[in-house]
């Protein structure tokens, strides 16, 4: 099969090369002298999700539709590596976090229902306890972000870091992430996380039985049955939860709805097949300590589709009753072979999506 004129094997080789470069080039920028300020962002519109006519099955029938997407670029050397994402209730205000210890804010611009660009973009360094940019690379690998209280311009956010595993609370204002307010106590089981497979997904439950509770998942931490391990912070403390591991995908982000529904973004990479992406929806009743959640697959995509290394996820309820799903990719600062992509899908209310594939 050819994709955009290239055989699948060639595209896989490109991804192999890009991930090799990302692993060994060490091209992430130093943020020591970075100050918060505006940046310009160019946006190329993605009109169709699939690259080939036989890939439509990757969306769950009539349940999920592709709303549109953008390929983003910027002359700023600090633009890239976006690993966590939050959208405001207006589906326009945006807050993203990079694995270099950088935040970005902006306003999504639409033509009708379709994305057309980002306006008023600003970025700046994630501050340490001393108020200065976090200096050590092992301390500033921020991989996930969740709105804890308030809004993106007046509230607090939780940021998950890996390598030096921790969750920090930050004050939010129109100026971005302004102050480190302290750490969340991690459970003992979190000590088993490997340096580069830490807190890849965090969310604060917006509703349901565990409204207001923090949930965090490791990118790749298995239980004895090789299922994914995460934690739910209840009033009595943190408890361990599990998500069924189907196909050895990694967890890359989480987001939740007002009714207690949880969405999970998953990614798989293999040298021989390139990158894959999956979106899983977990019903409110499935989220229980001591139970392994399974969920239902809404999107199952690979290099036949317009994806990259999708790492950030935010879900927004719409007035129509539908759910807007927004994703952002981490380009590993490998601007030659990878892309920063912002993708949007709409999940329609009611009915059932297809079940998760079984091993």
């Amino acid at each position: 099969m050819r994709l955009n004129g290239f055989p699948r094997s060639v595209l896989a080789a490109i991804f192999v090369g890009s991930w090799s470069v990302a692993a060994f080039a060490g091209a992430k920028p130093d943020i020591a002298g970075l100050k918060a300020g505006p940046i310009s962002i160019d946006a190329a519109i993605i009109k169709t999700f699939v690259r080939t006519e036989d890939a439509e099955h990757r969306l769950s029938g009539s349940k999920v539709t592709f709303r549109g997407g953008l390929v983003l670029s910027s002359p700023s050397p600090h633009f890239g590596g976006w690993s966590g994402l939050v959208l405001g209730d207006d589906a326009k205000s945006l807050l993203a976090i990079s694995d270099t210890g950088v935040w970005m804010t902006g306003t999504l611009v639409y033509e009708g229902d379709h994305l057309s660009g980002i306006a008023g973009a600003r970025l700046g360094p994630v501050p340490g306890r001393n108020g200065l940019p976090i200096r050590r690379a092992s301390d500033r690998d921020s991989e996930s972000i969740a709105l804890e209280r308030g809004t993106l311009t007046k509230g607090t956010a939780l940021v998950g870091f890996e390598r030096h595993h921790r969750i920090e609370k930050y004050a939010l204002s129109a100026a971005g992430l302004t102050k480190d307010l302290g750490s969340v106590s991690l459970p003992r089981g979190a000590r088993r996380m490997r340096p580069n497979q830490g807190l890849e997904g965090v969310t604060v439950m917006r509703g349901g039985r565990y409204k207001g509770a923090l949930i965090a998942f490791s990118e790749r931490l298995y239980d004895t049955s090789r299922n994914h391990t995460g934690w739910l912070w209840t009033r009595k403390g943190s408890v361990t939860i599990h998500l069924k591991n189907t196909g050895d995908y990694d967890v890359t982000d989480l987001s939740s709805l007002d009714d207690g529904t949880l969405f999970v973004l998953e990614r798989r990479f293999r040298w021989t097949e390139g990158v894959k992406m999956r979106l899983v929806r977990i019903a409110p009743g499935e989220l229980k300590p001591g139970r392994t959640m399974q969920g239902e697959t809404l999107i199952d995509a690979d290099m036949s589709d317009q994806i990259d290394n999708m790492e950030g996820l935010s879900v927004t309820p719409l007035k129509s009753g539908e759910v807007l799903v927004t994703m952002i990719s981490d380009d590993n600062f490998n601007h030659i072979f990878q892309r920063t992509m912002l993708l949007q899908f709409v999940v329609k209310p009611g009915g059932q999506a297809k079940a998760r594939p079984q091993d």
Side-chain angles (χ1 to χ4, degrees), residues 118-134:
I118 296 182
R122 299 178 75 252
L123 60 70
V126 176
R129 295 288 176 85
N130 59 4
L132 300 176
I134 302 172

Side-chain angles (χ1 to χ4, degrees), residues 302-318:
D302 61 17
M303 291 169 58
S304 300
D305 309 291
Q306 291 281 9
I307 65 169
D308 205 279
N309 176 31
M310 310 310 298
E311 288 208 5
L313 173 70
S314 184
V315 295
T316 311
L318 301 176

Side-chain angles (χ1 to χ4, degrees), residues 27 33 54 83 113 132 173-174 188 215 227 229 239 248 255 259 340:
D54 62 342
S83 300
D113 291 333
L132 300 176
S173 75
R188 293 184 62 182
I215 292 181
N227 291 317
T229 301
V239 293
D248 277 346
S255 191
D259 66 353
T340 295

Side-chain angles (χ1 to χ4, degrees), residues 58-335:
R58 302 191 185 282
L59 302 184
S60 183
S62 60
K63 188 68 176 178
V64 181
T65 57
F66 179 61
R67 174 67 68 86
L70 303 171
V71 176
L72 304 174
S73 59
S74 173
S76 169
H78 297 284
F79 183 87
W82 304 112
S83 300
L85 178 68
V86 178
L87 256 61
D89 291 339
D90 59 358
K92 294 181 179 179
S93 52
L94 170 148
L95 171 63
I97 200 84
S98 169
D99 58 16
T100 57
V102 170
W103 54 261
M104 176 177 68
T105 58
T107 302
L108 297 181
V109 179
Y110 295 86
E111 290 184 1
D113 291 333
H114 302 281
L115 284 169
S116 62
I118 296 182
R122 299 178 75 252
L123 60 70
V126 176
R129 295 288 176 85
N130 59 4
L132 300 176
I134 302 172
R135 297 295 298 272
R136 293 174 54 183
S138 60
D139 289 340
R140 58 184 172 92
D141 191 354
S142 45
E143 294 285 346
S144 47
I145 188 166
L147 181 65
E148 183 193 38
R149 290 188 178 87
T151 68
L152 298 184
T153 56
K154 189 178 181 181
T156 57
L158 298 174
V159 176
F161 294 81
E162 65 179 11
R163 299 183 194 272
H164 175 193
H165 303 305
R166 66 198 191 279
I167 298 175
E168 299 285 326
K169 180 187 293 189
Y170 286 93
L172 293 175
S173 75
L177 272 68
T178 57
K179 185 178 180 181
D180 188 332
L181 302 176
S183 300
V184 174
S185 178
L186 295 185
R188 293 184 62 182
R191 299 175 186 174
R192 298 193 295 115
M193 294 187 295
R194 295 183 178 182
N196 198 33
Q197 296 171 2
L199 297 165
E200 197 80 15
V202 301
T203 192
V204 174
M205 296 301 295
R206 298 183 54 161
R209 178 182 179 184
Y210 298 105
K211 181 178 180 179
L214 168 65
I215 292 181
F217 264 88
S218 169
E219 177 180 0
R220 191 186 302 170
L221 178 63
Y222 300 136
D223 66 5
T224 55
S225 299
R226 201 175 169 78
N227 291 317
H228 295 291
T229 301
W231 300 274
L232 168 68
W233 278 256
T234 70
R235 294 179 181 178
K236 297 181 180 180
S238 59
V239 293
T240 303
I241 55 177
H242 298 286
L243 173 67
K244 183 170 179 58
N245 172 11
T246 303
D248 277 346
Y249 279 66
D250 295 329
V251 174
T252 63
D253 210 357
L254 312 171
S255 191
S256 65
L257 293 176
D258 294 344
D259 66 353
T261 300
L262 182 66
F263 286 78
V264 182
L265 182 62
E266 299 180 329
R267 175 201 59 221
R268 171 184 161 117
F269 175 78
R270 296 292 184 271
W271 299 109
T272 56
E273 65 187 21
V275 68
K276 295 183 177 182
M277 177 270 286
R278 190 160 62 198
L279 180 69
V280 175
R281 180 178 60 184
I282 297 170
E286 278 201 73
L287 179 57
K288 293 180 181 179
R291 177 177 180 177
T292 298
M293 301 175 290
Q294 181 164 320
E296 53 187 359
T297 297
L298 295 176
I299 303 172
D300 190 357
D302 61 17
M303 291 169 58
S304 300
D305 309 291
Q306 291 281 9
I307 65 169
D308 205 279
N309 176 31
M310 310 310 298
E311 288 208 5
L313 173 70
S314 184
V315 295
T316 311
L318 301 176
K319 294 180 180 179
S320 62
E322 299 170 317
V323 177
L324 181 67
V325 176
T326 307
M327 304 175 186
I328 197 167
S329 67
D330 173 3
D331 68 353
N332 291 302
F333 287 91
N334 187 353
H335 304 312

